[in-house]
Amino acid sequence: NAGVTQTPKFRVLKTGQSMTLLCAQDMNHEYMYWYRQDPGMGLRLIHYSVGEGTTAKGEVPDGYNVSRLKKQNFLLGLESAAPSQTSVYFCASGSGGPLNTEAFFGQGTRLTVV
Amino acid sequence: GENVEQHPSTLSVQEGDSAVIKCTYSDSASNYFPWYKQELGKGPQLIIDIRSNVGEKKDQRIAVTLNKTAKHFSLHITETQPEDSAVYFCAASVTSGTYKYIFGTGTRLKVLA
């Protein structure tokens, strides 16, 4: 059982380049999330989705776009990368509902923008 | 806006001692409080959680307490072991609607052998 899989695991971008981070989950979860993790700032929510075809902004959405065309996939896009987007990015998924509250995380993508 | 504060940011304890990490939250509608452990190079993993209708929950050496009135919740690890060394995150969530998880800033726990 793979759980939540993120690709790529590492990436170096030049300022202004674009890229897409892919998150795939095989648990049939409705809810998916993208977080960024920076030293001393914990995990901050970028965007999230409450179901296929839906997306919503989190705490720090500027400079990012997302799409949820298929239930199992949640894509995070950077149209024009900036050094401030250097971070570790985590995808998570959850089934939602008052009794099914655990969020499962991927292994992370370390992105460096130079 | 919604906010979760976590203290301390770093914590060093001798093996066998107890460790306590504290969090406060701002959204009075929050009703679910998970704790995650993150080991080096890995994603966070749930270790224990508590809901707002419960004041305390234990799982072997780990316990979590919740004070809804004060909007405080804490993680207690007893008889610490070197493998407990990791970064711990608290989070608060509302179990309806969007199920967003707002995380604290993390505590780096070092257990000294």
Side-chain angles (χ1 to χ4, degrees):
Chain A
N1 189 349
V4 179
T5 303
Q6 292 182 231
T7 52
K9 291 185 170 50
F10 303 94
R11 185 73 185 268
V12 178
L13 282 181
K14 293 183 179 179
T15 298
Q17 287 185 318
S18 63
M19 79 163 293
T20 300
L21 282 68
L22 172 64
C23 177
Q25 53 97 0
D26 61 2
M27 296 173 280
N28 200 35
H29 286 164
E30 289 291 336
Y31 296 80
M32 297 188 75
Y33 313 86
W34 275 108
Y35 288 89
R36 61 177 288 173
Q37 184 176 31
D38 302 293
M41 303 189 79
L43 292 154
R44 292 184 292 168
L45 183 63
I46 304 171
H47 286 281
Y48 62 100
S49 169
V50 301
E52 181 178 318
T54 75
T55 63
K57 294 180 180 180
E59 303 169 75
V60 288
D62 294 343
Y64 305 96
N65 56 75
V66 288
S67 64
R68 184 101 181 265
L69 299 179
K70 293 183 178 181
K71 187 177 183 179
Q72 63 267 34
N73 295 336
F74 195 28
L75 279 64
L76 178 70
L78 286 74
E79 290 186 348
S80 179
S84 61
Q85 294 177 305
T86 294
S87 187
V88 181
Y89 292 85
F90 285 98
C91 175
S93 72
S95 55
L99 298 179
N100 298 310
T101 42
E102 181 176 354
F104 295 83
F105 282 81
Q107 295 281 71
T109 296
R110 184 174 294 277
L111 175 66
T112 302
V113 182
V114 298
Chain B
E2 301 148 337
N3 184 48
V4 175
E5 293 188 0
Q6 183 172 347
H7 299 281
S9 57
T10 61
L11 179 60
S12 293
V13 299
Q14 291 292 329
E15 182 178 358
D17 287 350
S18 296
V20 180
I21 303 170
K22 298 182 178 181
C23 290
T24 61
Y25 61 97
S26 61
D27 186 354
S28 57
S30 297
N31 57 358
Y32 174 67
F33 307 92
W35 285 89
Y36 283 82
K37 177 182 181 182
Q38 185 179 27
E39 297 177 338
L40 194 63
K42 297 184 178 181
Q45 190 165 14
L46 181 73
I47 55 170
I48 194 168
D49 55 15
I50 191 167
R51 299 175 188 275
S52 59
N53 59 347
V54 175
E56 183 175 3
K57 182 177 179 181
K58 289 183 180 179
D59 183 3
Q60 299 182 340
R61 297 186 297 108
I62 295 174
V64 58
T65 59
L66 172 65
N67 182 330
K68 272 194 71 176
T69 303
K71 297 183 187 174
H72 291 171
F73 58 114
S74 300
L75 177 71
H76 304 253
I77 306 174
T78 58
E79 301 173 18
T80 53
Q81 301 168 2
E83 51 265 38
D84 294 330
S85 296
V87 178
Y88 292 82
F89 291 97
C90 62
S93 174
V94 179
T95 58
S96 63
T98 59
Y99 295 92
K100 289 190 299 182
Y101 301 87
I102 304 299
F103 283 84
T105 50
T107 296
R108 182 173 299 279
L109 173 65
K110 294 182 181 178
V111 179
L112 307 172

